[in-house]
């Protein structure tokens, strides 16, 4: 974490109502907040590409990106609630997301379908790495509840990566 991601605990830290302890809140909540920012960034990029994709495989890609963006968005509430359950706080604004996100935005006016899929594949691969790192923080504190959720999200990110890569392969 850096100075921009650390302030997820207020100066008067929330009272921890679990057996993980205050240090878990100090370590886990910022890791989850960074993860949440990345999920929102990936959600918006996936939805953006869903809206703007074109070409001979439009329908297939459009539907795949719709499904993937819905799956990504579905994780956001659970991530934010875990940060609160461990005793921390989480994202408060779009500006906060921008300061904390590690995945890059894409504001290009036009991106080819192939470049969209490749970029999302790279982002999902990076996200899987961020998920693994956050899993490690949770494991260090014995937070099996968060770790078990993250294991499912890793599988989902790997599945999205697989689908995106498979969609780019030339069948010949």
């Amino acid at each position: 974490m850096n100075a921009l991601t650390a302030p997820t605990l207020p100066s008067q830290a929330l009272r921890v109502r679990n057996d993980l302890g205050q240090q878990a809140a100090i370590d886990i909540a910022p890791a989850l907040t960074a993860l949440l920012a990345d999920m929102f960034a990936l959600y918006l990029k996936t939805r953006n590409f869903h809206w703007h994709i074109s070409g001979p495989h439009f329908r297939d890609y459009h539907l795949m990106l719709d499904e993937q963006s819905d799956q990504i968005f579905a994780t956001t509430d659970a991530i934010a609630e875990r940060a609160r359950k461990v005793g921390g706080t989480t994202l408060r604004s779009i500006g906060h997301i921008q300061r904390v996100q590690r995945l890059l935005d894409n504001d290009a006016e036009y991106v080819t379908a192939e470049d969209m899929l490749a970029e999302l594949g790279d982002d999902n691969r990076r996200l899987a790495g961020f998920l693994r790192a956050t899993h490690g923080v949770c494991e260090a504190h014995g937070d099996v509840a968060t770790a078990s959720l993250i294991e499912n999200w890793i599988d989902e990110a790997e599945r999205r990566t697989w689908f995106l890569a498979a969609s780019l392969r030339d069948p010949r």
Side-chain angles (χ1 to χ4, degrees):
M1 298 287 114
N2 61 40
L4 293 176
T5 61
T8 60
L9 290 178
S11 58
Q12 293 183 353
L14 298 172
R15 195 162 121 216
V16 177
R17 291 185 166 82
N18 59 51
D19 63 344
L20 296 173
Q22 190 65 36
Q23 191 59 49
I26 291 168
D27 295 343
I28 296 170
L32 289 171
T33 296
L35 190 61
L36 182 59
D38 289 325
M39 286 291 195
F40 274 120
L42 183 58
Y43 164 75
L44 191 56
K45 183 187 285 185
T46 305
R47 186 56 71 179
N48 168 32
F49 288 171
H50 158 82
W51 292 325
H52 294 101
I53 200 151
S54 61
H57 302 287
F58 166 77
R59 187 176 195 298
D60 291 334
Y61 294 165
H62 183 78
L63 293 173
M64 178 178 65
L65 297 181
D66 188 40
E67 178 184 298
Q68 289 189 1
S69 63
D70 287 348
Q71 182 183 67
I72 294 163
F73 185 74
T75 66
T76 59
D77 193 50
I79 295 169
E81 287 182 357
R82 284 307 306 168
R84 299 288 290 146
K85 288 176 188 175
V86 300
T89 62
T90 193
L91 296 173
R92 298 186 184 282
S93 68
I94 292 172
H96 193 178
I97 291 169
Q98 184 181 26
R99 289 188 304 275
V100 179
Q101 76 185 67
R102 296 162 288 189
L103 297 178
L104 300 176
D105 295 328
N106 185 323
D107 294 331
E109 192 170 319
Y110 176 78
V111 181
T112 67
E114 293 77 19
D115 287 346
M116 287 179 181
L117 300 183
E119 186 172 333
L120 290 173
D122 289 343
D123 286 345
N124 276 282
R125 260 189 302 285
R126 288 191 64 213
L127 179 67
F130 299 151
L131 286 159
R132 284 187 179 83
T134 305
H135 189 278
V137 173
C138 296
E139 277 187 325
H141 290 284
D143 183 1
V144 296
T146 305
S148 67
L149 290 169
I150 290 172
E151 289 166 5
N152 290 323
W153 299 332
I154 291 169
D155 184 59
E156 290 174 355
E158 289 175 343
R159 185 172 194 264
R160 288 189 302 269
T161 301
W162 170 41
F163 274 50
L164 291 160
S167 296
L168 288 171
R169 287 196 191 106
D170 186 352
R172 291 178 267 163

